[in-house]
Amino acid sequence: MQLKEIGEFGFIERFKPHFNDLLSGDIIGIGDDCAIIPANENEDWIVTTDLLMEDVHFLRQSISPFQLGYKSLAVNLSDIAAMGGTPIGSFLSIAIPKDLDVEYLDRFMEGYHKLSQKYNTALLGGDTTKSLKHLAINVTVIGKCSKGKARKRSDAKIGDVICVTGSLGDSAGGLQLLLDGVRTNTFHDYLLNKHHQPEPQIKEGIFLAKENGVNAMMDISDGISSDLKHILKASKVSAEVDIQSIPISDELRNESVKYNWNAIEKATSGGEDYELLLTVDPKDYDRVSKDFKMQFLKPLIKIGTITEGNPEINWTDKGKIIELSASGFNHFK
Amino acid sequence: MQLKEIGEFGFIERFKPHFNDLLSGDIIGIGDDCAIIPANENEDWIVTTDLLMEDVHFLRQSISPFQLGYKSLAVNLSDIAAMGGTPIGSFLSIAIPKDLDVEYLDRFMEGYHKLSQKYNTALLGGDTTKSLKHLAINVTVIGKCSKGKARKRSDAKIGDVICVTGSLGDSAGGLQLLLDGVRTNTFHDYLLNKHHQPEPQIKEGIFLAKENGVNAMMDISDGISSDLKHILKASKVSAEVDIQSIPISDELRNESVKYNWNAIEKATSGGEDYELLLTVDPKDYDRVSKDFKMQFLKPLIKIGTITEGNPEINWTDKGKIIELSASGFNHFK
């Protein structure tokens, strides 16, 4: 059987049950942005890992080594942010092809260090080895949360307001410029930068995890049409999302007009935005949203509501039900 | 500049200093088998990660998927053993080429599960993605040690007895059979198995970390001629090792005669034995060695002595000084 027939999640479901009996009581394993391991009286530790492969996740000729180093750590810190955690340290494994020189690696480590410094995350270890062809980068990050306060995908409640922390689809717009071979200029910097050097919402995550009423949370890596479903499945609820409420930047809007892109599709299933997706108790939403805006000078954007029913997204356009065929990536297609 | 000019450790030295100021007080980062992070009053947590690349670390046509799954975890558990730790959980990232089917992955996970079960190590998370060509496998393991009891490379003392927990060079012998295209039969199973399905010395490590007098410890992944130097550098001491005392199995001895291999070279610089290398206070050696034999029905084998001087190994043959040119792998040659 080919892997594409069952996909990443189908594969995980095949072996996950066999490992369940090895799980000791309080540890939460496979199935969220991070695993949660009780560490001491006051803290749970959270752990995440991500593997980036050349020509699958990035093209070496498109992304600078500095950006690649930055992004390799950023996508992991984003998982820490998704739980509302504070990073403790990271581990970097890197398989290096022969044609990659030390100067490239120095720039890569500069980018990695830049983001490490920003969130005070030490590089604690790793592995360096040879690769015959493609550059492979695996990062593991350990973080911490106040005991029992890590925000999980499974905690969405019926009636919750569904929110995101920023505009969606920008990264996908940047990627599209690269894929289409557009001769980019400084007007494109915003979208390209969102794609090459995403910013993990660490401070936003920590802030939101302290707020009562913030229930489920995750980061947006595959696009909300795919990611929100993870929350719905884990929480056994349904959702209604109005496409008019999805935040789209002026930059994405302009380029979409220019190049005839479907901005809504980019925003819902483009992926790699690394904004946070969360559900908030409706009675707390106004307060949390106001506090969030005061703290971060940007709104907590409401895009829909958690409802009762099957774990699927019911899309509307100004309240009218619509169909949306696009779905998140399946890496194995 | 090409990476092979400076090697893995030269590369690490380039960026390590920049990350030092991000290290908070009690965490021990880059430079040992595992990082050490204080978790609570009684425990330190230890973390290690290893990246295995197809055609660099393994040949898919030589190793069965079960063995590959087993080995991917084993090499990491061996680092936990090296500190005297007990594994808590593992994280598996895997980049899968298109020509690899679900049945292969099932067998891989069976091998991974077999070893997970043996040492009660839950699989807590990971990442599954596509690879354009080579299978890439990264495993991270978190373990725990009694506070302050993790055995480090930097704790060897002058006069210490240098010991290993088992025969050396067997894995290199198994690899040589494969590289030479020998038509293997059941007589070769011992060496091949040592190469394909190494056993992490978890119980031995836990036992030894409880013993007073066991000072420095590490696992043997690159061969003692390379690995022992890490202890010497970290502890700022020298060593004398007599090649006659290096444990060589009958199987390696027999095949070495048959195929004209240098068994001593295989044993000192072959790598991937995953036995433990440790230094023991001479006043404790007899007791520790006796207890170890009672517990594990195998001896703790004395191979040399820690001495004062430069961090280098002075090899002897029945007490007479000799030169040994072979050194551990440099992955970038």
Side-chain angles (χ1 to χ4, degrees), chain A residues 1-4 6 8 11-12 14-15 18-19 21-24 27-31 34-35 37-41 43 45 47-57 88 91-96 98-103 105-106 108-109 112-113 116-117 120-134 136-140 142 331-333, chain B residues 1-4 6 8 11-12 14-15 18-19 21-24 27-31 34-35 37-41 43 45 47-57 88 91-96 98-103 105-106 108-109 112-113 116-117 120-134 136-140 142 331-333:
Chain A
M1 181 166 40
Q2 290 298 298
L3 190 54
K4 65 180 178 190
I6 57 169
E8 177 179 0
F11 171 50
I12 294 168
R14 286 172 85 88
F15 62 76
H18 304 293
F19 284 91
D21 48 345
L22 298 177
L23 265 184
S24 77
I27 295 178
I28 298 176
I30 300 166
C34 296
I37 315 176
N40 56 50
E41 271 182 27
E43 289 170 348
W45 285 10
V47 186
T48 183
T49 192
D50 263 303
L51 176 57
L52 301 184
M53 295 294 290
E54 182 178 353
D55 290 348
V56 175
H57 298 96
I88 295 175
F91 296 81
L92 167 66
S93 299
I94 180 164
I96 305 165
K98 259 194 178 158
D99 61 331
L100 212 151
D101 62 19
V102 173
E103 289 69 26
L105 293 169
D106 285 345
F108 177 92
M109 292 310 302
Y112 195 95
H113 181 260
S116 299
Q117 204 171 31
N120 205 26
T121 309
L123 173 62
L124 299 180
D127 192 12
T128 313
T129 187
K130 193 169 75 173
S131 169
L132 282 205
K133 190 162 164 60
H134 293 106
I137 303 155
N138 193 89
V139 175
T140 303
I142 300 184
H331 282 307
F332 300 108
K333 266 180 192 155
Chain B
M1 183 167 37
Q2 291 299 298
L3 190 52
K4 65 180 176 188
I6 57 168
E8 177 179 0
F11 170 49
I12 294 168
R14 286 173 85 87
F15 62 76
H18 303 293
F19 285 91
D21 49 344
L22 297 177
L23 266 183
S24 76
I27 295 179
I28 297 177
I30 299 166
C34 296
I37 315 176
N40 57 51
E41 271 181 27
E43 289 170 348
W45 285 10
V47 187
T48 183
T49 192
D50 263 303
L51 176 55
L52 300 184
M53 296 295 291
E54 184 178 353
D55 290 348
V56 175
H57 299 96
I88 295 174
F91 296 80
L92 168 66
S93 299
I94 180 163
I96 304 166
K98 256 192 178 158
D99 61 331
L100 212 152
D101 62 19
V102 173
E103 289 70 24
L105 293 170
D106 285 346
F108 177 91
M109 292 309 302
Y112 195 95
H113 181 260
S116 299
Q117 206 171 28
N120 205 28
T121 310
L123 174 62
L124 299 179
D127 192 12
T128 312
T129 186
K130 194 169 74 171
S131 168
L132 282 205
K133 188 161 166 59
H134 293 106
I137 303 155
N138 192 88
V139 175
T140 303
I142 300 184
H331 283 309
F332 299 108
K333 269 182 187 153

